[in-house]
């Protein structure tokens, strides 16, 4: 049985965890067409010259520039049309002196030609083309490799594959990219009284909320949750399920049921599974008392409170930052916003307290405190975020300006 | 062949489209456990009373309150312990006068009991329990249905299934919910010179960028893209592919290749497929000239320019608002931000112009204009959004404050 540990602040909890676990992003080679929205783990270079050939910028005639020298409005040069090149075609023709070929925008400039005369500067009479404006070598042509050369850097590591960046890599012939993997997260609920959604409630039973809600929150951090279900308050069941979690996940989250007596079974069982075991047990804030952090042979385990709003607040503070780092997920919306407190809140001196709030946009943004109690389910449905009341504050008055930490994915974010 | 239409503003284009097409959200019944993040299309009510039974708020003893009346620190009442109820258990015991039962937090209060005495107010000696504090009927008990009653409203239509809301519905025994469906969007690329990613480039060919980039952009709007591939510039191929698109999608997007001559084949073909046909051809802005809008037997078709940055800018203006409405998708991040122009931009008077920009966070946010040209692919990779230069402006000076319309999913958003 592990010794009771001193309650610590969130910052201390993170430091203790990071003494034994340094989050490392995993990298994977991924087909480009399935990688939209993901984050590049390496710099990417072009596989091809772009354009891959000398390309006409306009509809007109491919010419040898030298043939047009001296051409003017009143002094046209006459060329002999020997072929036509459409976009996407292999230009089978090769120009000799005095020859030209009809060419479309985007088409490949044929051998022998080095410039394009725009159609509006010409007059065609059968096979003869009068050119009324001279062009210099390269004029109206995008030279092969002028956008980017094969092997040149396109984008840096760390860029997200937005439609623009993703499209660029397609243009450059890239097929596979190294991306940061979604971290795999095991989610376990514990509690004698819990049953899974879809089952029929028996006497004394309630539906599990934390399993699906924490999976959603994991998803919102760009990570991949797998819900391992509910375990009863028994050493052997907890041990078996946690070992399953550790074997195949980057991170494990266990939320406690509310059943008493069994309160310490989870951290005690976890502590016996490997080294260094439980590092933190209890946060110096309300809620947070039942929170524990452990590392078992390099794998982190986060134990969250059983009460859903508390579980999600502690998730947001302790787990989400690691998941967002591991998945290289962007911040979604505003994380903190200022609002006025709609109703005064009392708090016990000597303890930091988090209070869930719902937001209400009127003349100014109002934060309504939602207290645990008979309306617990309403406070879960309506919580947009939470405010923190510091250790030395006993009261926050109605109308006071507060900072609301938004839950990820909130409506107002 | 349809008559050439007058170029119109974006606002006029939307009005003309909406004369023949009113976007309608589709609704579907969905299993709750697959509905995380989706938006409710109906109000949802609780399937059960919550808590589903009279629940103990503390560890202690279930009692008949009347038995404890008069109990005090120096004047305890003695009760006889006849059973134990743990969380999740069916309380098989039924209390008579003078009896009590051990009870855990979250456990069901047994028949006969109407209150709970906290363990710290008692002393147990074998089967005898001394109660040192009286309780009133209902004390320390959350009555069945006190959080929410069966049939009572939990959340309104239009709420997103955030982890909190989703969790609440699980708690209330909900199994299926009506949600707004993701609109199904067909994406087609046209152009003689295009080939799909993964193929080997032949002479005169380039990789298709718009197909995957527009699919990504559709995805970012909460819609479901299906890429129907590249069609050549032929009436019959275009007709066949567009009919396929219309048969099974809410909306169709076709982007034009750059091949000239064939420029009007797409809108002409579309116009022949049904009524009312092409409604808009050409926007009064640069880029936007090749844009067309059509409605065929109630189905909207958006024709976008072939140049990828242009296609994505027009998508953002014309298509994205409809897709976000249809999918009930939230705005992601800030849509418009203020920045200073890093370099002056010239524009032709008499035409509205959109200029793609990349953003650069220094002392102040700088918007670097990205002009089409030899670095086209770089401007695609780096575009974070675009600025609009109005019809009567010929120059926007370096350092001028500009409003940047952010592309959805941009890094800085």
């Amino acid at each position: 049985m592990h010794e009771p540990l001193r309650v610590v602040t969130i910052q201390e909890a993170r430091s203790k965890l990071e003494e034994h676990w340094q989050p490392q992003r995993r990298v994977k080679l991924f087909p480009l067409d399935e990688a939209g929205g993901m984050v590049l783990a390496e710099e990417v270079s072009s596989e091809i010259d772009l354009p891959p050939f000398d390309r006409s910028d306009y509809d007109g005639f491919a010419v040898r520039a030298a043939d047009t020298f001296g051409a003017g409005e009143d002094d046209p040069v006459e060329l002999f049309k020997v072929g036509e090149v459409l976009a996407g075609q292999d230009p089978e023709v090769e120009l000799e002196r005095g020859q030209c070929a009809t060419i479309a925008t985007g088409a490949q400039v044929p051998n022998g030609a080095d410039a394009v005369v725009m159609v509006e500067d010409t007059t065609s009479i059968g096979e003869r083309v009068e050119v009324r404006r001279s062009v210099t070598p390269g004029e109206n042509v995008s030279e092969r490799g002028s956008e980017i050369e094969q092997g040149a850097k396109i984008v840096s590591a760390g860029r997200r594959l937005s439609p623009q960046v993703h499209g660029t890599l397609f243009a450059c012939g890239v097929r596979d990219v190294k991306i940061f993997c979604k971290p795999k997260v095991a989610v376990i609920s514990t509690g004698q009284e819990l049953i899974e959604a879809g089952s029929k409630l028996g006497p004394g039973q309630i539906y599990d909320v934390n399993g699906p809600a924490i999976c959603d929150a994991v998803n919102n951090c760009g990570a991949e949750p797998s819900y391992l279900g509910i375990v009863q308050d028994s050493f052997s069941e907890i041990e078996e399920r946690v070992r399953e979690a550790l074997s195949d996940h980057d991170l494990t989250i266990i939320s406690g049921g509310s059943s008493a007596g069994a309160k310490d079974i989870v951290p005690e069982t976890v502590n016996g599974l490997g080294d260094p075991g439980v590092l933190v047990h209890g946060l110096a804030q309300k809620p947070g008392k039942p929170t524990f952090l452990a590392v078992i042979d390099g794998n982190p385990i986060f134990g969250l409170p059983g009460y859903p709003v508390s579980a999600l607040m502690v998730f947001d503070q302790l787990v989400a930052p690691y998941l967002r780092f591991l998945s290289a997920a962007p911040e979604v919306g505003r994380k903190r916003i200022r609002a006025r407190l709609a109703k005064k809140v009392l708090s016990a001196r000597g303890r930091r307290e988090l209070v869930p709030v719902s937001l209400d946009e009127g003349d100014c943004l109002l934060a309504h405190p939602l207290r645990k109690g008979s309306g617990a389910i309403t406070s879960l449905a309506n919580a947009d975020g939470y405010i923190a009341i510091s250790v030395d504050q006993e009261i926050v008055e109605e109308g006071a300006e507060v900072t609301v930490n938004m839950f990820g994915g909130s409506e107002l974010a």
Side-chain angles (χ1 to χ4, degrees), chain A:
Chain A
M1 189 167 158
H2 75 285
E3 292 297 302
L5 298 170
R6 186 176 60 84
V7 298
V8 297
T9 65
I10 290 281
Q11 292 69 29
E12 288 172 307
R14 286 204 192 110
S15 304
K16 281 174 176 287
L17 177 65
E18 290 167 24
E19 281 171 26
H20 297 276
W21 176 61
Q22 292 77 43
Q24 301 279 344
R25 290 173 174 163
R26 280 189 294 112
V27 166
K28 193 174 155 186
L29 198 65
F30 223 74
L32 183 63
D33 51 358
E34 297 170 22
M38 295 178 175
V39 174
L40 292 170
E42 59 169 8
E43 179 178 306
V44 181
S45 305
S46 186
E47 296 290 328
I48 58 170
D49 286 332
L50 198 74
F53 48 81
D54 293 344
R55 183 179 62 190
S56 177
D57 294 337
Y58 296 101
D59 292 347
F61 294 92
V63 298
R64 300 165 75 101
D67 286 350
T68 70
F69 292 166
E73 202 57 50
D74 301 321
D75 192 13
V77 163
E78 192 177 287
L79 298 175
F80 191 69
K81 187 163 65 185
V82 295
E84 185 181 27
V85 196
L86 297 178
Q89 280 187 341
D90 190 353
E92 283 155 3
V93 65
E94 182 163 345
L95 299 196
E96 307 283 334
R97 266 183 71 177
Q99 296 181 336
C100 69
T102 308
I103 194 162
T105 308
Q108 179 166 346
V109 174
N111 284 337
D114 61 3
V116 167
V117 180
M118 291 164 75
V119 69
E120 43 268 56
D121 295 325
T122 64
T123 308
S124 288
I125 308 121
E127 302 301 282
R128 286 178 300 124
V129 177
E130 277 185 8
V131 174
R132 294 190 308 276
R133 198 177 152 279
S134 71
V135 284
T136 54
E139 197 166 339
N140 300 329
V141 172
S142 291
E143 206 185 337
R144 174 180 180 146
S146 58
E147 290 194 21
I148 196 162
E149 289 185 356
Q150 185 175 8
K153 171 184 163 177
I154 314 169
V155 280
S156 308
R159 285 291 295 275
R160 178 167 306 280
L161 292 173
S162 67
Q164 289 75 24
V165 175
H166 201 198
T168 301
L169 301 196
F170 278 107
C172 294
V174 175
R175 295 190 186 194
D176 299 296
V177 282
K178 279 198 180 138
I179 51 100
F180 292 118
C181 298
K182 288 188 170 205
K184 294 170 73 177
V185 178
V187 177
I188 300 170
S189 294
T190 65
Q192 227 36 54
E193 73 279 33
L194 301 182
I195 65 160
E196 285 195 36
S199 319
K200 199 173 151 42
L201 280 182
Q205 298 185 318
I206 57 171
Y207 289 116
D208 177 32
V209 171
N210 281 347
I214 293 173
C215 285
D216 282 0
V218 165
N219 226 333
N220 288 349
C221 291
E224 190 182 310
S226 31
Y227 181 41
L228 303 189
I230 298 161
V231 291
Q232 301 297 308
D233 301 329
S234 94
F235 278 99
S236 62
E237 270 199 55
I238 296 168
E239 177 172 341
E240 188 190 338
R241 207 67 61 93
V242 173
R243 285 204 190 278
E244 182 189 341
L246 293 174
S247 69
D248 192 31
H249 298 87
D250 296 296
L251 196 146
T252 296
I253 300 172
I254 309 179
S255 72
S258 61
S259 57
K263 259 174 191 151
D264 287 331
I265 285 193
V266 179
E268 276 179 32
T269 310
V270 165
N271 197 48
L273 295 181
D275 288 327
V278 173
L279 303 166
V280 168
H281 194 179
L283 294 179
Q285 72 176 18
K286 179 188 172 187
K289 199 71 187 306
T291 303
F292 74 90
L293 296 178
V295 171
I296 300 297
D297 305 329
N299 296 300
I301 300 179
F302 294 78
L304 303 184
Y307 179 61
V309 182
S310 306
L312 291 170
M313 287 193 287
V314 176
F315 174 91
D316 214 55
Q317 292 181 296
L318 259 187
V319 192
Y322 292 119
L323 291 183
R324 290 193 183 282
F325 169 78
L326 287 169
S327 63
E331 286 292 327
V332 176
R334 290 168 296 178
K335 281 304 282 177
R336 286 154 182 264
I337 62 173
R338 306 290 290 171
R340 297 216 169 265
L341 200 60
K343 202 179 139 198
K344 85 173 168 199
V345 172
L346 300 176
S347 171
R349 185 186 287 267
R351 185 164 62 171
R352 185 166 186 260
E353 186 166 350
L354 306 183
V355 178
V357 297
S358 71
L359 289 171
D360 178 13
E361 273 182 313
D363 286 347
C364 70
L365 195 61
L366 280 180
H368 297 269
L370 302 167
R371 288 303 196 122
K372 186 173 172 176
S374 67
I377 204 63
T378 324
S379 71
L380 179 59
N382 294 332
D384 290 309
Y386 55 90
I387 60 171
I389 302 176
S390 64
V391 172
D392 53 355
Q393 261 185 309
E394 283 181 86
I395 187 165
V396 187
E397 294 289 355
E398 178 182 330
E401 208 187 29
V402 291
T403 299
V404 180
N405 301 276
M406 301 295 289
F407 283 127
S410 163
E411 306 284 291
L412 285 160

